[in-house]
């Protein structure tokens, strides 16, 4: 088969589907029968200059995709497959790939670079390819090495650095790589391609260069070479150099002081004079500096100025020249920028950076921006007016309310007038600015709002007129209404101010959602805004309005079943609309059932609503499945034990949801709804528990299911145990080992990764919630069942108590389960609580907390432990 691989690879790219399918089948068969031979044949094909470029390219792509995958489980399988191949065969493959870097066909050497990096990502961390860096560096140092080889080698070094961690190379290797890369960037290098490949490689190698950046001489040389590349003749090279500077701004912020004068000159020149791709990176440099300084300010201890990295206040120092430079960029708008969400241009980058500058320096930015606003706001050309409004909107977050209040009060009328401007760009930017004003400067609950009883009517009138504007303006107007409503949530008597306008606002949002001149984005935004208007309204004044809205939304949902579905596109549109409408019904159910006086409204129509939700499930779209599940969870909460009558029909959809591994969000939401139903039905859920527990245990054992679903499952164990009490006994032998092995896994998680840290916290919290449910469920009749498992739970609490820093919600759950343990075990507790020192320390720490809820829980737990001991005594 190895002889025929060229034909297979060419046929797999044929325009004829029959030839293509047969070739793909032949390639799959070869792979399955002889994987090492298959890989070797692909490497031979890729490295052979006598073969067609098309077959070589595909050989490289197939080889690369056989070594890596986005999905974690699949990726691990591919890694194990590679590691299992005989080492002499692997050596042959690697040798062929390295030789391919010298190919005269650029496409082949480029693909070989990527494949080498994928193999390096598997082998280098396991110390299995120690000679790789040395082999690559020979290409750079060998006398007379052609520019094409140097280019391919530098590209490979860049890809390798991207794939592996800086812990995987020893410092000598890092030094050699950086030397080769920096030499490749040098102005003495004649080949532009080599300089470009070197600059891109440096970008990926910067994480490895900590030791080199700490050395002043080496750092000066690296910075000099980058700055030279930033002024090169070739635009691509200048762009790559600025990309390096952006990365350095965040990675080596604390070392930048000596270079800032030069960097300001370079970036200012690029912003004013260079092509857009380069200018965008120059602005991004300053955005990165802002990000670093905002983070430093967030973590600084007040007054002490204590922080592990010195805050150099670069933005503050450069403010007088930086802000005028950014304001100039706001005048460089694109005619099409509002219609296309993917457009990113100089004006947008400048405005974004200006917003970050405002967040970094606060009040200091206002006197530098307002003269620009005042000078441009009345000019006849639209670019000046739009830039003035954009500048104004960009600085609303950061400065103090005292500083912003006078200018916003003065400017609000002008902005409302600008919503009627003839120019679409101006109306779009004005709507965005109003949205920001209402989000940031409208919080009546805290005692401040730019909206007053005097101007509210005009604001609502302008918004409801402007919501009829072109779709992209209407979308931003929806955003303004969203934040206008949100501001009145829990605002006491102020929340009544919006009530007279609610009916009108709801009608306008429904009309907007029904528009036929826009895509689904405006409709989704209109319904999300409607949800917020309902959620934040004053229920005692709006219950009848919401009562009238409910049948309108139910009718709309019923109409979706009549839509003609002729294509997958039609099916998707139907699904999106059903998802939005289920979302609105969920909010209506939650709002009306939040007070006893209005709960009856929902209970009267619960049967019709449930019938609609079950019909939605029959349509089988996952987005709908999610929204309908969430709405049913809300209905279960409202209906309480009456929800039992829906279970015979609904249960099959719970089963489907719990088995939906592929769309794991659906699975996760289904788990949450099981919890809602347990709380609604209590022990009436019992007939369904065998099936539910079987599926939940299966989910926990699965390697395919996304890990994020597992914490909700443990919490769900607690909900089920709480609902069915002593009847949970038969599940203990299956559930507890799962909980205990998950608790052990918590200790092994990598907390240096933010995502993993968050997952670990969710897992710890959910295990504690599971134990709490079990302890409370068994408390009155079979508490002794938990006695053998108490030491393991205490050990886990002690382990979590040593975590630093510890998540507040995890602490709360740990302290609560301690109280549940003492409460449930009563007189048996003394034998369990053998080490009161760690308990006293944990509870003492919680009693000192600023979090009232945590204090309350700790006080209760202290009481429970005290009571258990006094009973013993």
């Amino acid at each position: 088969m190895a002889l025929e691989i060229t034909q297979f690879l060419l046929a797999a790219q044929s325009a004829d589907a029959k030839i293509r399918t047969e070739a793909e089948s032949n390639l799959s068969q070869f792979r399955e029968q002889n994987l090492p031979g298959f890989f070797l044949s692909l490497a031979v094909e890729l490295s052979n200059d006598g073969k067609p470029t098309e077959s070589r390219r595909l050989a490289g792509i197939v080889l690369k995709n056989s070594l890596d995958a986005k999905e974690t489980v699949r990726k691990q399988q591919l890694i194990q497959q590679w590691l299992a191949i005989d080492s002499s065969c692997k050596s042959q493959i690697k040798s062929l790939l390295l030789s391919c870097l010298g190919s005269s066909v650029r496409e082949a050497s480029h693909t070989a670079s990527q494949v080498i990096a994928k193999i390096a990502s598997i082998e280098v961390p396991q110390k299995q390819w120690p000679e790789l860096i040395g082999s690559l560096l020979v290409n750079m140092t060998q006398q007379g090495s052609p520019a094409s080889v140097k280019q391919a080698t530098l590209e490979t070094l860049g890809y390798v650095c991207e794939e592996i961690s800086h812990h995987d190379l020893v410092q000598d290797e890092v030094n050699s790589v950086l030397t080769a890369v920096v030499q490749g960037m040098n102005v003495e290098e004649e080949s532009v391609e080599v300089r470009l490949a070197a600059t891109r490689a440096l970008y990926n190698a910067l994480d490895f260069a900590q030791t080199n950046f700490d050395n002043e001489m080496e750092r000066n040389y690296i910075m000099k070479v980058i700055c030279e590349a930033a002024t090169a003749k070739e635009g691509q090279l200048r762009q790559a150099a600025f990309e390096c500077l952006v990365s350095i701004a965040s990675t080596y912020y604390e070392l930048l002081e000596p270079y800032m004068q030069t960097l300001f000159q370079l970036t200012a020149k690029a912003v004013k004079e260079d092509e857009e791709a380069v200018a965008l990176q120059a602005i991004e440099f300053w955005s990165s500096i802002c990000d670093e300084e905002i983070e430093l300010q967030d973590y600084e201890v007040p007054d002490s100025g204590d922080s592990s990295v010195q805050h150099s206040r670069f933005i503050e120092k450069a403010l007088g020249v930086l802000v005028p430079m950014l304001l100039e960029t706001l005048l460089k708008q694109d005619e099409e920028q509002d219609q296309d969400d993917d457009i990113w241009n100089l004006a947008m980058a400048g405005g974004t950076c200006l917003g970050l500058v405002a967040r970094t320096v606060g009040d200091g930015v206002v006197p530098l921006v307002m003269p620009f606003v005042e000078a441009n706001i009345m000019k006849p050309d639209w670019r000046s007016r739009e830039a003035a409004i954009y500048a104004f909107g960009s600085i609303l977050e950061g400065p103090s309310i005292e500083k912003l209040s006078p200018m916003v009060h003065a400017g609000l009328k002008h902005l409302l007038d600008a919503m009627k401007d003839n120019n679409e760009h101006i109306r779009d930017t004005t709507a965005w600015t109003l949205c920001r004003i209402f989000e940031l400067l409208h919080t009546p609950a805290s005692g401040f709002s730019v909206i007053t009883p005097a101007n509210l009517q005009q604001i609502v009138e302008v918004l409801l007129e402007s919501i009829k504007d072109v779709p992209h303006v209407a979308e931003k107007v929806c955003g303004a209404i969203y934040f206008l409503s949100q501001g009145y949530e829990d605002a006491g008597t102020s929340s009544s101010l919006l009530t007279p306008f609610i009916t009108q606002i709801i009608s306008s949002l429904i009309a907007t959602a029904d528009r036929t001149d826009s895509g689904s984005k405006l409709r989704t935004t209109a319904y999300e805004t409607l949800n917020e208007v309902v959620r934040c309204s004053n229920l005692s004044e709006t219950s009848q309005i919401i009562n009238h809205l409910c049948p309108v939304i139910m009718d709309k949902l019923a109409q979706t079943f009549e839509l003609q579905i002729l294509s997958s596109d039609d099916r998707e549109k139907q699904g999106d609309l059903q998802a939005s409408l289920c979302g609105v019904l969920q909010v209506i159910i939650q709002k009306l059932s939040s007070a006893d006086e209005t709960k009856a409204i929902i209970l009267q129509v619960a049967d019709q609503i449930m019938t609609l939700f079950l019909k939605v499930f029959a349509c089988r779209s996952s987005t709908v499945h999610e929204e309908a599940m969430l709405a049913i969870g809300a209905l279960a909460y409202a209906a309480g034990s009456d929800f039992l009558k829906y279970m015979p029909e609904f249960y099959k959809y719970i089963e489907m949801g719990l088995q939906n591994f592929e769309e794991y969000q659906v699975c996760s939401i289904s788990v949450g709804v099981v919890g809602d139903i347990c709380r609604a039905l209590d022990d009436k859920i019992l007939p369904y528990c065998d099936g539910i527990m079987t599926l939940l245990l299966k989910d926990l054992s699965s390697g395919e299911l996304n890990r994020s679903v597992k914490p909700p499952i443990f919490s769900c164990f607690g909900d089920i145990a709480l609902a069915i009490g002593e009847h949970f006994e038969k599940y203990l032998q299956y559930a507890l080992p799962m909980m205990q092995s998950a608790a052990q896994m918590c200790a092994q998680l990598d907390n240096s990764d933010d995502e993993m840290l968050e997952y670990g916290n969710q897992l710890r919290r959910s295990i504690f919630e599971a134990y709490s449910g079990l302890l409370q469920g068994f408390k009155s009749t079979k508490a002794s069942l938990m006695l053998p498992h108490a030491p393991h739970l205490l050990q886990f609490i002690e382990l979590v108590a040593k975590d630093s820093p510890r998540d507040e919600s995890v602490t709360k759950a740990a302290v609560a389960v301690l109280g549940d343990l003492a409460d449930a075990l009563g007189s048996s507790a003394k034998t369990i609580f053998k080490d009161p020192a760690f308990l006293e320390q944990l509870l003492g720490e919680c009693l000192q907390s600023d979090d009232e809820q945590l204090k309350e829980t700790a006080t209760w737990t202290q009481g429970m432990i005290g009571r258990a001991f006094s009973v013993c005594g």
Side-chain angles (χ1 to χ4, degrees):
M1 258 198 187
L3 298 171
E4 300 160 3
I5 198 158
T6 307
Q7 278 70 45
F8 293 160
L9 290 164
L10 291 172
Q13 300 171 74
S14 166
D16 185 321
K18 189 167 176 291
I19 295 171
R20 202 166 60 242
T21 309
E22 192 183 338
E24 284 165 2
S25 162
N26 285 326
L27 287 167
S28 294
Q29 198 183 340
F30 186 2
R31 177 202 292 271
E32 280 155 28
Q33 287 173 356
N34 180 3
L35 188 69
F38 180 64
F39 282 178
L40 186 57
S41 298
L42 291 171
V44 167
E45 187 75 18
L46 176 59
S47 60
N48 186 340
D49 273 354
K51 295 286 184 177
T53 305
E54 294 77 12
S55 64
R56 295 176 75 184
R57 184 203 307 116
L58 187 57
I61 291 168
V62 172
L63 191 48
K64 178 165 77 83
N65 293 342
S66 303
L67 296 163
D68 192 20
K70 282 183 182 159
E71 211 272 305
T72 316
V73 177
R74 178 72 184 135
K75 184 179 178 127
Q76 284 309 313
Q77 288 170 348
L78 296 177
I79 288 171
Q80 291 314 315
Q81 267 183 10
W82 172 260
L83 292 172
I85 293 173
D86 174 71
S87 57
S88 65
C89 179
K90 284 192 289 198
S91 294
Q92 247 181 304
I93 292 168
K94 291 186 290 195
S95 177
L96 286 162
L97 291 167
L98 286 168
S99 72
C100 188
L101 297 180
S103 169
S104 56
V105 179
R106 175 77 192 103
E107 216 170 326
S109 62
H110 172 70
T111 309
S113 295
Q114 294 175 312
V115 181
I116 290 167
K118 291 297 176 194
I119 296 173
S121 74
I122 299 170
E123 296 201 350
V124 172
Q126 306 206 18
K127 309 293 179 209
Q128 286 193 10
W129 199 356
E131 69 279 11
L132 168 64
I133 299 296
S135 308
L136 291 170
L137 293 173
V138 166
N139 291 346
M140 298 303 296
T141 51
Q142 219 165 25
Q143 199 68 38
S145 196
S148 60
V149 173
K150 286 185 178 178
Q151 182 188 356
T153 303
L154 286 162
E155 195 170 50
T156 309
L157 284 168
Y159 288 142
V160 168
C161 289
E162 192 177 9
E163 290 286 345
I164 65 173
S165 155
H166 60 278
H167 301 299
D168 295 329
L169 296 184
V170 297
Q171 191 55 44
D172 281 352
E173 288 176 312
V174 173
N175 294 344
S176 303
V177 169
L178 284 172
T179 302
V181 166
V182 172
Q183 276 176 357
M185 287 174 70
N186 221 313
V187 281
E188 278 81 56
E189 172 57 59
E190 290 167 16
S191 163
V192 176
E193 286 79 12
V194 169
R195 283 188 79 189
L196 183 58
T199 310
R200 287 175 177 163
L202 179 65
Y203 177 83
N204 288 324
L206 282 167
D207 269 349
F208 295 73
Q210 181 69 58
T211 306
N212 311 80
F213 263 79
D214 287 342
N215 178 315
E216 190 184 351
M217 227 167 77
E218 290 185 46
R219 181 173 71 244
N220 285 343
Y221 187 63
I222 294 169
M223 291 299 289
K224 171 180 167 287
V225 171
I226 296 171
C227 290
E228 283 169 353
T231 57
K233 274 207 313 287
E234 299 74 21
Q236 272 189 309
L237 186 48
R238 293 196 301 278
Q239 184 184 338
F242 275 111
E243 282 168 8
C244 288
L245 290 173
V246 171
S247 178
I248 288 167
S250 54
T251 315
Y252 301 110
Y253 167 89
E254 70 279 14
L255 300 170
L256 283 178
E257 182 82 62
Y259 315 104
M260 286 308 283
Q261 192 62 46
T262 305
L263 293 175
F264 181 81
Q265 288 162 359
L266 278 175
T267 51
K269 188 174 180 348
V271 171
K272 284 193 180 78
E273 300 168 14
D274 215 324
E275 55 197 70
E276 187 172 73
V278 182
L280 285 172
Q281 289 304 319
I283 293 174
E284 189 61 29
F285 171 81
W286 289 102
S287 291
S288 283
I289 295 284
C290 287
D291 287 336
E292 288 306 303
E293 297 198 344
I294 290 166
E295 196 173 334
L296 284 172
Q297 283 156 207
D298 286 347
Y299 288 107
E300 255 179 6
V301 179
D303 305 326
S304 71
D306 180 34
S307 167
S308 56
V309 174
Q310 183 61 41
H311 190 335
S312 300
R313 309 202 181 279
F314 293 135
I315 299 297
E316 204 177 287
K317 291 170 188 168
L319 207 57
V321 278
L322 179 60
V323 170
M325 174 183 92
L326 293 172
L327 291 170
E328 281 305 305
T329 65
L330 304 188
L331 294 157
K332 297 180 179 175
Q333 307 97 323
D334 278 341
E335 288 282 357
E336 305 300 314
Q337 69 185 35
D338 298 327
Q339 278 87 359
D340 186 351
D341 287 341
D342 297 329
I343 281 183
W344 184 247
N345 60 31
L346 215 52
M348 295 164 90
T352 303
C353 188
L354 185 61
L356 290 168
V357 168
R359 285 176 57 199
T360 310
V361 300
D363 290 358
V365 79
V366 176
L368 293 167
V369 171
M370 286 315 290
F372 175 86
V373 174
E374 286 153 9
N376 287 280
I377 197 81
M378 302 306 287
K379 283 190 178 171
D381 74 298
W382 75 264
R383 288 180 186 279
S384 300
R385 299 201 308 284
E386 193 272 343
I389 295 167
Y390 190 20
F392 186 84
S394 296
I395 61 165
L396 293 171
E397 188 179 5
S400 62
I401 283 175
E402 293 73 24
K403 193 78 177 171
L404 291 172
S405 179
M407 72 178 211
V408 174
H409 276 299
L412 191 56
K413 186 178 181 320
H414 182 90
L415 290 169
L416 294 171
D417 290 343
M419 286 306 296
K420 302 181 188 80
D421 197 286
N422 293 330
N423 185 279
E424 213 174 276
H425 297 288
I426 288 173
R427 297 196 304 275
D428 187 273
T429 303
T430 305
W432 172 80
T433 301
L434 288 170
C435 189
R436 301 238 321 149
I437 288 172
F438 300 157
E439 180 186 4
L440 300 164
L441 299 167
H442 167 49
T443 49
S446 69
F448 177 80
S449 177
V450 294
I451 300 169
T452 63
N455 63 19
L456 178 58
Q457 183 166 352
Q458 190 198 355
I459 288 169
V460 173
E461 283 171 4
V462 168
L463 293 176
L464 296 190
E465 189 53 43
S466 299
I467 205 169
K468 300 170 192 163
D469 206 328
V470 292
H472 62 87
V473 175
E475 255 175 63
K476 294 179 181 71
V477 172
C478 284
I481 295 170
Y482 182 100
F483 288 115
L484 175 70
S485 302
Q486 194 180 77
Y488 287 115
E489 186 183 13
D490 303 327
T493 52
S494 294
S495 64
S496 300
L497 293 173
L498 197 61
T499 304
F501 307 104
I502 294 280
T503 304
Q504 239 182 314
I505 291 171
I506 287 174
S507 300
S508 291
L509 287 167
I510 289 173
T512 304
D514 288 343
R515 278 172 61 162
T516 53
D517 65 336
S518 67
S520 62
K521 194 176 171 203
L522 176 58
R523 186 178 62 211
T524 304
T525 307
Y527 279 128
E528 282 169 359
T529 305
L530 176 60
N531 291 347
E532 199 65 1
V533 171
V534 170
R535 198 181 67 75
C536 300
S537 67
N538 184 329
L539 183 60
S540 61
E541 297 170 347
T542 58
S543 60
Q544 281 314 308
I545 300 170
I546 299 169
N547 185 12
H548 290 131
L549 174 64
C550 191
V552 173
I553 300 299
M554 286 166 66
D555 284 348
K556 285 187 173 297
L557 186 54
Q559 286 162 25
T560 64
F561 307 124
E562 311 304 322
L563 291 171
Q564 200 175 14
I565 308 296
L566 300 173
S567 65
S568 58
D569 198 33
D570 289 342
R571 170 77 63 207
E572 192 182 334
K573 281 178 185 164
Q574 181 197 40
D576 287 346
L577 180 54
Q578 288 175 341
S580 290
L581 293 166
C582 287
V584 180
L585 284 172
Q586 181 195 345
V587 174
I588 291 173
I589 294 165
Q590 286 169 331
K591 189 71 178 177
L592 291 175
S593 60
S594 66
D596 290 338
E597 307 82 65
T598 52
K599 191 185 274 192
I601 299 171
I602 280 300
L603 299 181
Q604 283 162 14
V605 290
D607 289 359
Q608 295 102 295
I609 291 178
M610 194 64 192
T611 304
L612 287 169
F613 289 156
L614 292 170
K615 271 190 162 182
V616 164
F617 280 120
C619 293
R620 295 283 171 83
S621 158
S622 71
T623 46
V624 174
H625 210 144
E626 281 179 59
E627 301 294 341
M629 270 289 180
L630 287 166
I632 287 173
L635 190 62
Y637 174 81
S641 59
D642 287 348
F643 191 82
L644 186 64
K645 62 181 171 182
Y646 307 126
M647 283 301 287
E649 184 63 28
F650 178 50
Y651 178 68
K652 64 182 175 196
Y653 295 114
I654 291 179
E655 282 192 317
M656 282 163 56
L658 294 178
Q659 292 176 88
N660 195 340
F661 286 11
E662 205 155 309
E663 291 151 341
Y664 65 88
Q665 293 95 334
V666 174
C667 188
S668 185
I669 287 166
S670 303
V671 172
V673 169
V674 169
D676 293 334
I677 293 169
C678 287
R679 285 185 285 279
L681 297 183
D682 288 326
D683 59 356
K684 294 191 178 109
I685 186 97
L686 196 54
Y688 300 97
C689 283
D690 282 359
I692 288 170
M693 281 300 294
T694 303
L695 290 171
L696 291 176
L697 290 163
K698 198 173 162 189
D699 285 354
L700 279 178
S701 311
S702 165
E704 287 171 58
L705 183 61
N706 187 288
R707 67 169 188 237
S708 67
V709 184
K710 300 195 175 178
I713 291 175
F714 287 119
S715 301
C716 194
F717 283 174
D719 294 328
I720 294 170
L722 205 50
I724 64 173
E726 63 184 45
H727 301 290
F728 196 86
E729 182 180 351
K730 63 174 172 178
Y731 308 124
L732 266 187
Q733 59 179 314
Y734 308 107
L736 275 165
M738 293 277 196
M739 287 155 62
Q740 288 168 359
S741 68
Q744 283 161 356
M745 200 183 93
C746 286
Q748 292 149 21
L749 292 174
D750 174 16
N751 287 341
S752 64
D753 176 345
D754 285 351
E755 209 176 294
M756 201 51 101
L757 182 67
E758 175 57 29
Y759 172 67
N761 286 332
Q762 286 169 356
L763 195 55
R764 290 175 181 90
R765 191 167 58 241
S766 67
I767 295 166
F768 288 140
E769 285 169 359
Y771 273 113
S772 277
L774 265 65
L775 287 160
Q776 289 173 42
F778 288 130
K779 178 184 156 187
S780 51
T781 52
K782 294 193 173 176
S784 59
L785 285 172
M786 293 303 290
L787 201 54
H789 308 289
H792 189 281
L793 171 57
L794 272 175
Q795 199 183 343
F796 183 45
I797 294 170
E798 194 167 354
L799 190 75
V800 168
K802 288 175 184 160
D803 279 354
S804 181
R806 192 177 342 106
D807 184 77
E808 196 102 308
S809 65
V810 173
T811 307
K812 216 172 282 181
V815 172
V817 81
L818 255 180
D820 289 327
L821 188 62
D823 184 27
L825 296 182
S827 59
S828 313
K830 197 166 189 179
T831 55
I832 303 300
F833 295 125
K834 288 184 180 137
D835 178 13
F838 109 79
L839 296 178
E840 281 168 23
Q841 191 184 340
L842 178 63
L843 291 173
E845 180 193 311
C846 296
L847 291 167
Q848 300 297 312
S849 168
D850 297 335
D851 184 321
E852 285 306 317
Q853 215 185 341
L854 181 55
K855 248 191 223 176
E856 213 175 289
T857 308
T859 306
W860 175 78
T861 296
Q862 204 173 37
M864 285 297 123
I865 294 172
R867 199 182 73 178
F869 272 75
S870 66
V871 170
C872 302

